[in-house]
Amino acid sequence: MRLSVLDQAPVSIGDRPEKTLEHTLELAKWTEQLGYHRYWVAEHHNTSGLVSTSPEIMMTRIASVTSRIRVGSGGILLPQYSPYKIAENAKTMAGFFPNRIDIGVGRSPGGSQLTRSALTDDQYKSLQHFPRQLSDLQGFLHNSLPSHHKFRLVKAGPRIEQVPPLWVLGLSEQGAKNAAELGLGFVFGHFINPKNGVAALKTYYENFVPSFGMEKAESIVCIFVVCAETEEEAEELALTQDQWLLNVGKGLGTKVPSLEQVRKKSLTASELDRIKANRDRCIIGTPETVKRQLKRLQDLYKTDEFMIITNIFDFEAKKKSYKLLAETIL
């Protein structure tokens, strides 16, 4: 089983954004030492609590302070941008850091309609164009656009030999099919909504067609994990993530609250139900508990790699969670 990291760069209440960015670099170096395979950063906009707004810049900085771990995007919001420009950014990064860059792209609008309009400079871009954009991006990466394509003569530079692999982030069978038909990697967001996971991965494996970038199907499942030496400690640490998920779901902010703040808050019955439902997106417990549940999901999803996201308040406890997990599984 491979383990990787997804970092949304969440700000803990009381920290400055600059501190959170420092934590990202520290966590990348830490997880590389522990043997994690990839370190991916997200893309979020118009929020004070998630500072990963520019994954390409984050990736370049992270790759510059590490030496082995693969660095990627989870993911660049393709519908808002030009496939050609994304391809050139990707190939430039791969030129600086050969065989270490992953390009993960998603279909998400990236926020409210107003935020999306700001991202596209108020140009209308339909989310329905995602499959076409995905195909174009693959074509620009490998300079393999078909002869009839409008931009066939436009080449994406630099013309490096090792083109970074392309991954599709998805939550549905359609997203899995988009990845499979183009021969791309597929990342399932169990941490967002686990309901369609088995069907999506099955669709991906059954429909995969080998491509320039991937000869065989490759999948990753991303999941929230909080790991500690005892079940009680893990549950206590997870309270801050529980409240954060609740707040994000209700549009109440994206900064991670402290344990003291969580304990002072009274929860309604509906909020407790929501927290319980959110736990389906997570694994909480000791290293052995987490290992056992990941193995169960591995058998269910038929995947060899899990991407771990841990959005708790205490940064040192977050580092320890990744350490305990690595010592038990890797």
Side-chain angles (χ1 to χ4, degrees):
M1 185 188 296
R2 279 179 175 171
L3 294 180
S4 294
V5 180
L6 175 64
D7 186 5
Q8 292 181 317
V11 179
S12 291
I13 291 177
D15 281 350
R16 297 175 296 111
E18 294 88 344
K19 187 66 174 178
T20 301
L21 291 171
E22 290 175 10
H23 282 163
T24 283
L25 298 183
E26 185 176 342
L27 188 62
K29 290 186 283 187
W30 176 251
T31 51
E32 177 178 63
Q33 292 171 8
L34 293 171
Y36 283 78
H37 185 58
R38 309 177 204 270
Y39 196 100
W40 283 16
V41 289
E43 178 176 351
H44 293 279
H45 300 282
N46 197 24
T47 171
S48 62
L50 301 172
V51 299
S52 182
T53 58
S54 181
E56 297 95 333
I57 293 176
M58 297 277 287
M59 288 165 62
T60 304
R61 186 72 180 99
I62 292 165
S64 72
V65 299
T66 54
S67 60
R68 178 201 56 79
I69 198 167
R70 297 191 65 87
V71 180
S73 54
I76 295 168
L77 305 180
L78 179 57
Q80 278 61 265
Y81 309 122
S82 152
Y84 180 64
K85 185 58 178 173
I86 292 175
E88 293 210 314
N89 285 342
K91 294 173 87 169
T92 300
M93 286 188 287
F96 278 120
F97 307 101
N99 201 33
R100 289 189 59 209
I101 300 299
D102 296 322
I103 302 300
V105 297
R107 185 178 173 273
S108 169
S112 67
Q113 184 55 52
L114 185 63
T115 302
R116 185 164 187 249
S117 293
L119 283 170
T120 63
D121 195 28
D122 214 19
Q123 300 299 305
Y124 174 74
K125 300 181 79 172
S126 174
L127 294 177
Q128 302 306 313
H129 292 167
F130 181 74
R132 188 270 303 166
Q133 287 188 296
L134 199 56
S135 178
D136 285 357
L137 176 54
Q138 183 185 43
F140 282 127
L141 282 170
H142 294 276
N143 287 325
S144 61
L145 292 172
S147 57
H148 62 272
H149 197 285
K150 179 180 180 180
F151 300 128
R152 180 67 178 85
L153 298 179
V154 180
K155 307 297 183 182
R159 304 198 189 175
I160 57 175
E161 293 183 6
Q162 293 182 321
V163 175
L166 186 56
W167 295 77
V168 179
L169 283 63
L171 298 171
S172 67
E173 292 177 70
Q174 184 57 53
K177 197 170 183 181
N178 288 337
E181 290 178 346
L182 290 174
L184 309 177
F186 181 63
V187 184
F188 179 72
H190 183 106
F191 77 110
I192 298 175
N193 187 348
K195 291 182 179 179
N196 299 318
V198 173
L201 268 295
K202 185 173 185 290
T203 296
Y204 174 66
Y205 297 133
E206 290 179 350
N207 290 275
F208 185 83
V209 179
S211 68
F212 294 105
M214 285 190 185
E215 295 180 355
K216 62 178 183 177
E218 293 191 38
S219 68
I220 304 172
V221 172
C222 187
I223 185 169
F224 283 115
V225 174
V226 179
C227 187
E229 291 179 345
T230 67
E231 298 287 348
E232 293 76 17
E233 184 184 0
E235 285 291 334
E236 184 173 73
L237 291 171
L239 290 174
T240 62
Q241 182 173 273
D242 288 338
Q243 186 65 53
W244 177 79
L245 281 171
L246 184 65
N247 291 346
V248 170
K250 297 174 72 173
L252 298 178
T254 52
K255 291 187 177 182
V256 185
S258 68
L259 190 57
E260 291 71 24
Q261 290 169 318
V262 172
R263 283 174 168 162
K264 289 178 182 178
K265 184 173 176 57
S266 298
L267 297 172
T268 66
S270 63
E271 287 175 330
L272 290 170
D273 288 343
R274 183 68 260 167
I275 287 173
K276 183 178 179 181
N278 281 338
R279 282 298 186 96
D280 290 340
R281 302 152 65 179
C282 315
I283 298 177
I284 314 295
T286 64
E288 286 304 322
T289 297
V290 176
K291 180 180 179 180
R292 184 171 60 253
Q293 293 195 39
L294 284 178
K295 186 64 174 67
R296 179 184 64 83
L297 288 176
Q298 184 179 33
D299 293 339
L300 195 64
Y301 283 140
K302 313 300 182 189
T303 188
D304 291 325
E305 185 170 350
F306 287 95
M307 189 163 280
I308 308 302
I309 176 171
T310 306
N311 285 358
I312 58 177
F313 177 82
D314 188 320
F315 180 66
E316 291 303 320
K318 178 187 290 191
K319 286 175 61 180
K320 187 173 182 179
S321 178
Y322 280 107
K323 182 174 186 287
L324 291 170
L325 196 54
E327 290 175 341
T328 306
I329 294 177
L330 298 180

